Amino acid sequence: TEEAKADLAKAQPALEEARNALDAITPQDMKTIKAMPKPPDIVKQILDGVCILLQLPLAPVSTQSVHGRPMIGDSWRVSGAGLVARIDFLKMLTDFASESKDNINEETCELLLPYLNMEDFTVQRARQASGNVAGLCTWVRAMFTYHNIAKVVEPKRAALRVAEGKLRIADTKLRAKEEEVAHVEADLNKCMERLASAKQRRQDLQDDAIGTKKRMTAANGLIDGLS
């Protein structure tokens, strides 16, 4: 429906920002991260967010103290390091945003919330720590935003799919009835043609009979006149 389209359109700015952020990340940026023996904590936390969305394994839940503040234990060794080492890493994220974002569920978003609510989980903080790689933070937040808009739209989309399904069934039945009517009309036309032909034949026979009768009357008159 137009209402559902309008609601989904609200997510487009975030998705567009995410695409632009990914486009800004260069292979050299990723090499820089891979070369770090110990990436900044914010980078590891952002990669945890990426892993959650991609449903990759995470380390058991734990907390650690960073500068006197509690932080969620990262999964860099479990999945993060291997993820950034992939040649197709950025393509994975681009493909996910275009093809798989509707598979994000409530459980995934619940796992993301502790990260998104962290004071340091911002594009500005990530940019200070890792330059363009901060685009990953933008991507994670955009996927979260999309899901929260899409889950409101989904019941409307589901209702639309049901209505469209009913319409297709009704159209199929209508076409079947129309074909049936067309067959009946064709048969009726043939019957009408046969009836018209029969009437014409009867008329021809009647005309012929009248003509014959007249000729017989004329012949009889001639015979009577000669006798």
Coordinates of all heavy atoms in Angstrom, one line a residue, residues 14 94 112 121 168 224:
A14 N 18.7 6.6 6.3 CA 19.7 5.8 7.1 C 20.4 4.8 6.2 O 21.6 4.6 6.3 CB 19.0 5.1 8.2
T94 N 27.5 -4.9 2.0 CA 26.6 -4.3 0.9 C 25.5 -5.3 0.5 O 24.4 -4.9 0.4 CB 27.5 -3.9 -0.3 OG1 28.5 -3.0 0.1 CG2 26.6 -3.3 -1.4
L112 N 22.0 -6.3 20.0 CA 22.7 -5.1 19.6 C 22.6 -3.9 20.6 O 23.5 -3.1 20.8 CB 22.2 -4.6 18.3 CG 22.7 -5.2 17.0 CD1 22.0 -4.6 15.8 CD2 24.2 -5.0 16.9
F121 N 29.9 4.3 21.5 CA 29.5 3.7 20.2 C 28.9 4.7 19.3 O 27.7 4.7 19.0 CB 28.5 2.5 20.5 CG 28.4 1.5 19.4 CD1 29.2 0.4 19.4 CD2 27.6 1.7 18.3 CE1 29.1 -0.6 18.4 CE2 27.5 0.8 17.3 CZ 28.3 -0.4 17.3
R168 N -5.7 -12.3 -6.8 CA -5.2 -13.3 -7.8 C -6.2 -14.4 -7.9 O -6.5 -14.9 -9.1 CB -3.8 -13.8 -7.5 CG -2.7 -12.8 -7.8 CD -1.4 -13.5 -7.7 NE -1.1 -14.0 -6.4 CZ -0.4 -13.3 -5.5 NH1 -0.1 -12.0 -5.7 NH2 -0.2 -13.8 -4.3
D224 N -57.5 -27.6 -69.3 CA -58.9 -27.4 -69.4 C -59.3 -26.6 -70.6 O -60.4 -26.8 -71.3 CB -59.4 -26.7 -68.1 CG -59.3 -27.6 -66.9 OD1 -59.2 -28.9 -67.1 OD2 -59.3 -27.1 -65.8

